[in-house]
């Protein structure tokens, strides 16, 4: 690993605003490794700067790109500690495989993530719920317009001190019955930019109608609940937790999987299964579904206060922020912030 003096100077001279928002303030450093001739270069950590790309850089035309979202916490100076970073590394390489990209070795991925976090440790926010959001990504950097897999890639890591993803607490969700996010055999399970780009038109309509997020349904039956673009979906029905089972059209969320393990360890019954939207609406209307929530690295656990259909049909949850959501969020965040014992061994404390 090479760390430039400019990067060290940049981080020493950095000052962080008190109110950081989400993804707006970037640490003034970045890690870069280049893939060329079938080999990875060593990681270089340098001053954050704009990239110079040739106009025929393949990612700009064919979207060969993947990314991850992960967090380091430093609540009350207990960190910095990363949350399940190896899970992000594994998922990164699964996304890369689907997008015909080379594997990033563990030492490159983890080396870059840990070095950026360590150099930026003074700027990992200390208030509860705040963290350093780390964004590893890789894109096709080869330049030419041939539509074939690139042979040159850049792997990079940047990081942003963040507060909450949703300023308002709970969210209102629009059921998307027209547009489709992913189909079987496609790339819905990969964390690649195209999945997010494809969600944006619906996001514009959702906002216009006064809601916050889109709930996607399956391309096959336009009935089964899938996910919410940047988050997975959960419902509490008759006191038990239900979430769509993972298929190749749903991102396999690390927060989702952690909440499932956590809930089971608390004695809560968890069902990973096909969930139909018709059944969900009836369960909200007859009161058996008391809580719904979304979860993800950025969103942590965010309660859903209501679901909506176009044309003004509203389904209001019994609890805007119910006891099960509250308890799971407190416990998950407690482990992430090391204020609760991490009996799952999920956190990786950086200590040099
Ligand atoms: C995350 O939770 O890390 C996400 O990827 C969601 C969004 C910020 C893209």
């Amino acid at each position: 690993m090479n760390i430039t003096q400019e990067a060290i100077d940049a981080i020493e001279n950095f000052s962080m605003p008190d109110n950081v928002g989400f993804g707006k303030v970037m640490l003034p450093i970045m890690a870069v490794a280049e893939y060329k001739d079938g080999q990875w270069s060593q990681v270089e950590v340098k001053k954050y700067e704009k990239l110079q790309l040739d106009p025929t850089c393949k990612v700009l035309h064919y979207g060969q790109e993947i990314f991850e979202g992960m967090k380091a916490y430093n609540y009350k100076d207990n960190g910095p500690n990363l949350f399940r970073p190896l899970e992000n590394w594994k998922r990164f390489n699964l996304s890369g495989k689907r997008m015909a990209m080379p594997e990033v070795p563990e030492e490159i991925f983890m080396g870059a993530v840990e070095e950026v976090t360590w150099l930026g440790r003074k700027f990992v926010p200390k208030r509860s719920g705040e963290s350093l959001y780390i964004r590893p990504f890789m894109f096709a950097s080869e330049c030419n317009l041939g539509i074939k897999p690139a042979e040159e890639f850049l792997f990079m890591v940047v990081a942003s001190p963040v507060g909450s993803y949703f300023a308002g607490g709970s969210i209102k969700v629009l059921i998307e019955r027209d547009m489709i996010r992913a189909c079987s055999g496609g790339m819905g399970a990969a964390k690649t930019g195209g999945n997010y780009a494809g969600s944006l038109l619906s996001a514009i309509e959702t906002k216009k109608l006064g809601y916050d997020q889109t709930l996607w349904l399956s391309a096959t039956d336009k009935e089964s609940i899938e996910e919410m673009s940047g988050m997975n979906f959960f419902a509490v029905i008759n006191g038990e937790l239900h979430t769509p089972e993972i298929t190749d059209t749903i991102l396999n969320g690390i927060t989702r999987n952690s909440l499932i393990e956590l809930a089971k360890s608390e004695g809560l019954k968890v069902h990973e299964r096909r969930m139909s939207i018709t059944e969900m609406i009836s369960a909200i209307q007859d009161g058996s579904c008391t809580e719904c929530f979304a979860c993800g690295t950025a969103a942590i656990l965010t309660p859903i206060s209501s679901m909506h259909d176009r044309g003004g049909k509203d389904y209001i949850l019994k609890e805007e922020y119910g006891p099960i959501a509250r308890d799971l969020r407190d416990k998950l965040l407690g482990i992430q912030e090391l204020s609760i014992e991490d009996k799952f061994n999920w956190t990786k404390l950086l200590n040099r």
Side-chain angles (χ1 to χ4, degrees):
M1 169 117 32
N2 179 32
I3 304 166
T4 68
Q5 189 56 45
E6 268 199 324
I8 293 167
D9 294 344
I11 204 87
E12 269 173 16
N13 295 323
F14 183 60
S15 68
M16 181 169 75
D18 194 44
N19 206 342
V20 286
F22 186 91
K24 298 188 176 115
V25 176
M26 302 305 298
L27 290 190
I29 54 172
M30 59 192 201
V32 190
E34 194 180 356
Y35 183 85
K36 210 174 174 172
D37 300 326
Q39 286 191 36
W40 283 104
S41 71
Q42 70 164 342
V43 176
E44 180 168 55
V45 181
K46 47 201 230 177
K47 186 169 175 263
Y48 190 99
E49 61 190 11
K50 291 195 172 139
L51 301 175
Q52 271 212 335
L53 297 180
D54 186 284
T56 65
C57 183
K58 277 184 191 285
V59 67
L60 301 177
H61 301 268
Y62 307 129
Q64 208 183 1
E65 182 272 354
I66 55 168
F67 69 97
E68 268 303 321
M70 53 204 294
K71 279 179 170 173
Y73 290 83
N74 191 23
Y75 177 54
K76 290 187 176 168
D77 265 329
N78 284 339
N81 56 295
L82 293 159
F83 184 70
R84 308 193 77 177
L86 281 175
E87 296 301 307
N88 292 96
W89 168 64
K90 287 182 205 156
R91 191 172 64 185
F92 193 74
N93 280 331
L94 286 176
S95 300
K97 187 162 189 238
R98 178 62 185 85
M99 301 305 289
M101 299 168 88
E103 204 171 293
V104 176
E106 181 180 340
E107 60 276 15
I108 290 189
F109 186 95
M110 290 304 297
V113 164
E114 288 188 14
E115 199 55 52
V116 167
T117 307
W118 183 251
L119 285 172
R121 63 194 177 281
K122 280 200 232 145
F123 306 105
V124 184
K126 297 183 177 55
R127 288 184 294 226
S128 185
E130 298 187 342
S131 57
L132 184 70
Y133 183 79
I134 302 156
R135 176 52 69 88
F137 61 105
M138 169 163 61
F139 62 90
S141 53
E142 189 182 325
C143 303
N144 68 60
L145 294 178
I147 177 75
K148 56 186 171 83
E151 290 176 5
E152 291 171 19
F153 295 88
L154 283 184
F155 166 71
M156 301 187 58
V157 177
V158 294
S160 169
V162 297
S164 32
Y165 189 63
F166 292 109
S170 65
I171 53 173
K172 295 191 212 163
V173 166
L174 179 74
I175 303 161
E176 180 53 81
R177 297 203 187 250
D178 301 328
M179 287 179 244
I180 286 296
R181 175 184 173 275
C183 63
S184 183
M187 58 191 201
K191 211 160 169 64
T192 182
N195 286 330
Y196 297 81
S199 75
L200 298 178
L201 181 58
S202 177
I204 292 171
E205 289 191 14
T206 298
K207 274 268 174 276
K208 242 193 238 163
L209 293 169
Y211 310 126
D212 304 298
Q213 285 288 310
T214 301
L215 181 67
W216 296 101
L217 303 180
S218 145
T220 314
D221 59 11
K222 291 214 171 174
E223 250 304 304
S224 310
I225 296 175
E226 299 222 309
E227 59 151 275
M228 302 171 63
S229 309
M231 286 158 277
N232 292 109
F233 176 82
F234 279 87
V236 178
I237 304 174
N238 295 322
E240 297 179 351
L241 209 51
H242 297 251
T243 191
E245 68 193 340
I246 292 297
T247 64
D248 69 349
T249 55
I250 301 180
L251 190 86
N252 191 0
I254 296 162
T255 309
R256 170 196 182 275
N257 298 341
S258 308
L259 286 174
I260 290 173
E261 269 193 69
L262 196 53
K264 282 183 179 165
S265 80
E266 299 277 302
L268 209 60
K269 216 162 179 185
V270 183
H271 307 267
E272 297 178 65
R273 62 170 179 95
R274 174 181 178 269
M275 294 177 74
S276 101
I277 191 64
T278 307
E279 171 215 332
M280 241 348 277
I281 290 171
S282 312
I284 294 174
Q285 288 175 329
D286 71 20
S288 53
C289 174
T290 46
E291 307 177 37
C292 285
F293 56 86
C295 70
T297 298
I300 314 177
L301 183 160
T302 300
I304 294 171
S305 57
S306 54
M307 314 227 299
H308 305 265
D309 261 317
R310 285 194 180 86
K313 281 187 243 152
D314 304 327
Y315 318 108
I316 315 290
L317 268 298
K318 218 170 178 174
E319 303 262 11
E320 181 174 334
Y321 191 2
I324 293 183
R326 207 175 279 277
D327 180 62
L328 286 174
R329 186 181 195 277
D330 288 351
K331 297 222 161 90
L332 178 70
L333 196 58
I335 292 171
Q336 291 171 324
E337 292 181 338
L338 299 180
S339 58
I340 291 180
E341 190 204 344
D342 173 15
K343 60 181 182 196
F344 301 96
N345 213 8
W346 283 338
T347 49
K348 179 161 192 203
L349 186 63
L350 300 188
N351 210 343
R352 293 187 178 173

